């Protein structure tokens, strides 16, 4: 298990060409990734995520700040010592980066050959890794015979070969269909839980974060604009970038446009109710409405899981005479997070 501490990390690329300007790819980013944690960095394209990963595994040098991997400052290490740190870091990629001319077993074995592991030990380790990723019978297959999901399993097996304490995942599921993506994420969860490996993953997909990460950093324009527990960050986003990610994956209140369309069909009072990890006792809500003679239609939204906890918003149409509806809203307002949609 590995802890990674980024302390005010920055990366500037010098201006290129005559009219080029300097690029600040990563700007004053501080993140503390605990041993054994799955930490996601989410952001749109160009936010600085891949640069951040390359700084952590020492493929590029930070131009400001410090990066400690298990207490060792990789920003200060000479290349020879960096190699030792890198051997304790596995990495997987969106396009898998496998050797197409080699068999599955040879791909997985490769880091062990580089590390000088004796052959019998290598063979045993490859068999163990292939079995762990569910490809025990595929050792002699060629890469092009495999599906995308299988290729990423090979990538994971190869990344684990040298027993790293940290796995870096660069958009590891972005090239996969949703079902395959889910399977690979489940495998990463096993890597984390069963092998105790810390995972730092970067993604532009909210679903990836929602499904496996415990903590998240949201990046925009090179900066870490929001970070913390996945549920806390996404159930109460403070930053515009975070909000737009939430909107891509989580049920929310209707947009102004949606609301207009809903009003065409629903003449009753529209309210939006927020569900936050057991914060709403649904039987009590429905009883409260029934007691006041108010009917209810669920007209929009949904409830989902974030970091293993429930979150969502439902838009309800309340039907009854004005006074009854008003009383019902007042009563519900005591029990739940309720917003009357204007
Ligand atoms: P992301 O992974 O979030 O898409 P990147 O880390 O790839 O973002 O890029 C962040 C910014 O840094 C972008 O503006 C990109 O053009 C710039 N950048 C990345 N690598 C280099 C480089 N080697 N030289 C110059 N600019 C770079």
């Amino acid at each position: 298990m590995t802890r990674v501490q980024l302390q005010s990390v920055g990366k500037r690329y010098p201006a290129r060409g005559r009219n080029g300007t300097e690029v600040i790819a990563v700007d004053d980013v501080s993140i503390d990734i605990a041993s054994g944690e799955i930490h996601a960095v989410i952001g749109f394209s160009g936010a600085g995520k891949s640069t951040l990963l390359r700084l952590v595994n020492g493929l590029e040098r930070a131009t400001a700040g410090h990066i400690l991997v298990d207490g060792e400052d990789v920003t200060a290490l000479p290349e020879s010592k960096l190699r030792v740190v890198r051997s304790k870091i596995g990495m997987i990629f969106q396009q898998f980066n496998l050797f197409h001319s080699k068999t599955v077993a040879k791909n997985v074995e490769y880091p062990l050959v580089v590390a000088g592991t004796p052959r019998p030990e290598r063979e045993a380790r490859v068999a163990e890794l292939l079995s762990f990723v569910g490809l025990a019978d595929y050792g002699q297959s060629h890469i092009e015979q495999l599906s995308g999901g299988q290729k990423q399993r090979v990538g994971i097996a190869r990344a684990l070969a040298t027993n790293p304490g940290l796995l870096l995942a660069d958009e590891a599921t972005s090239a996969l269909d949703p079902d395959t993506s889910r399977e690979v994420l489940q495998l990463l969860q096993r890597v984390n839980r069963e092998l105790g490996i810390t995972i730092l993953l970067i993604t532009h997909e909210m679903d990836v974060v929602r499904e496996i990460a415990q903590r998240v950093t949201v990046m925009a324009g090179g900066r870490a604009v929001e970070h913390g527990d996945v549920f806390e960050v996404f159930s109460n986003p403070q930053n515009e970038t975070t909000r737009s990610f939430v909107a891509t994956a989580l049920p929310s209140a209707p947009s102004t446009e949606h609301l207009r369309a809903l009003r065409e069909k629903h003449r009753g009072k529209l309210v939006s109710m927020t569900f936050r990890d057991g914060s709403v006792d649904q039987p009590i809500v429905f009883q409260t409405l029934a007691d006041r003679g108010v009917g209810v239609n669920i007209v929009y939204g949904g409830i989902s899981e974030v970091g293993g906890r429930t979150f969502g918003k439902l838009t309800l149409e309340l039907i009854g005479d004005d006074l009854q509806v008003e009383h019902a809203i007042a009563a519900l307002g005591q029990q739940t997070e309720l917003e009357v949609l204007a």
Side-chain angles (χ1 to χ4, degrees):
M1 277 208 249
T2 296
R3 178 180 182 191
V4 183
Q5 295 156 278
L6 292 104
Q7 301 171 340
S8 306
V9 173
K11 176 68 180 175
R12 290 165 180 264
Y13 291 109
R16 278 208 203 122
R18 209 150 33 104
N19 299 320
T21 48
E22 183 187 58
V23 176
I24 304 176
V26 175
D27 189 8
D28 196 20
V29 169
S30 297
I31 309 175
D32 193 345
I33 301 161
S35 319
E37 165 173 314
I38 301 185
H39 194 105
V41 175
I42 190 170
F44 294 113
S45 179
K49 308 180 296 295
S50 346
T51 305
L52 198 73
L53 273 200
R54 292 199 300 271
L55 296 177
V56 171
N57 70 7
L59 279 178
E60 293 206 43
R61 296 270 181 188
T63 47
H66 297 279
I67 300 173
L68 310 183
V69 177
D70 274 340
E72 183 131 49
D73 190 347
V74 299
T75 51
L77 285 182
E79 187 59 33
S80 55
K81 295 230 170 99
L82 256 184
R83 240 173 275 144
V84 179
V85 175
R86 252 186 238 135
S87 72
K88 292 285 137 209
I89 302 178
M91 184 145 175
I92 55 173
F93 307 85
Q94 178 172 7
Q95 296 304 334
F96 322 121
N97 293 16
L98 300 170
F99 296 115
H100 284 254
S101 58
K102 291 184 197 282
T103 61
V104 166
K106 290 285 179 203
N107 267 278
V108 176
E109 188 187 24
Y110 182 74
L112 299 169
V113 174
V114 174
T117 311
R119 184 189 289 269
E121 218 174 289
R122 290 200 309 256
E123 282 172 3
R125 180 79 181 130
V126 168
E128 182 184 24
L129 288 161
L130 287 180
S131 154
F132 181 79
V133 301
L135 293 176
D137 299 329
Y138 288 81
Q140 296 318 308
S141 301
H142 279 271
I143 298 300
E144 54 267 35
Q145 296 171 302
L146 305 182
S147 67
Q150 289 170 328
K151 285 179 191 166
Q152 196 55 293
R153 286 171 186 276
V154 177
I156 292 170
R158 182 183 59 180
L160 299 179
T162 53
N163 278 316
L166 172 68
L167 180 66
L168 305 178
D170 183 353
E171 299 281 2
T173 56
S174 300
L176 307 174
D177 65 67
D179 284 346
T180 312
S181 173
R182 203 159 299 123
E183 283 169 25
V184 168
L185 291 177
Q186 278 164 5
L187 176 58
L188 288 179
Q189 220 156 21
R190 281 183 54 220
V191 167
N192 174 252
R193 287 186 188 152
E194 294 176 26
L195 309 177
I197 294 176
T198 307
I199 299 181
L200 171 58
L201 56 89
I202 62 169
T203 183
H204 66 280
E205 294 176 310
M206 176 70 189
D207 279 338
V208 172
V209 183
R210 195 163 65 94
E211 281 186 34
I212 67 163
Q214 290 133 15
R215 298 210 316 138
V216 63
T217 298
V218 183
M219 276 187 86
R223 300 186 72 99
V225 294
E226 205 161 334
H227 64 93
D229 171 88
V230 168
F231 182 80
E232 302 303 335
V233 169
F234 288 128
S235 67
N236 190 17
Q238 301 296 312
N239 182 276
E240 201 42 53
T241 305
T242 318
R243 278 194 209 109
S244 52
F245 279 114
V246 171
T248 61
L250 291 178
S252 61
S255 64
T256 319
E257 246 167 75
H258 273 127
L259 193 55
R260 207 174 298 132
L262 287 173
R263 290 220 186 285
E264 303 269 308
K265 283 191 255 169
H266 304 281
R267 299 292 170 189
K269 194 87 162 166
L270 296 180
V271 297
S272 164
M273 188 178 287
T274 301
F275 291 72
R276 206 185 288 277
D277 198 24
S279 67
V280 177
D281 188 328
Q282 297 190 48
I284 290 184
V285 165
F286 288 107
Q287 195 57 53
T288 302
L289 293 168
D291 287 349
R292 284 162 180 77
V294 172
V296 58
N297 275 323
I298 297 171
V299 298
Y300 191 85
I303 298 174
S304 187
E305 287 227 328
V306 187
R309 296 155 78 182
T310 52
F311 178 73
K313 283 181 196 268
L314 291 182
T315 298
L316 311 177
E317 176 191 22
L318 304 183
I319 304 160
D321 74 48
D322 287 354
L323 198 60
Q324 283 171 318
V325 168
E326 213 173 286
H327 285 157
I329 288 173
L332 289 182
Q334 308 277 316
Q335 302 161 8
T336 63
E337 250 177 274
L338 192 77
E339 188 192 347
V340 178
L341 299 175

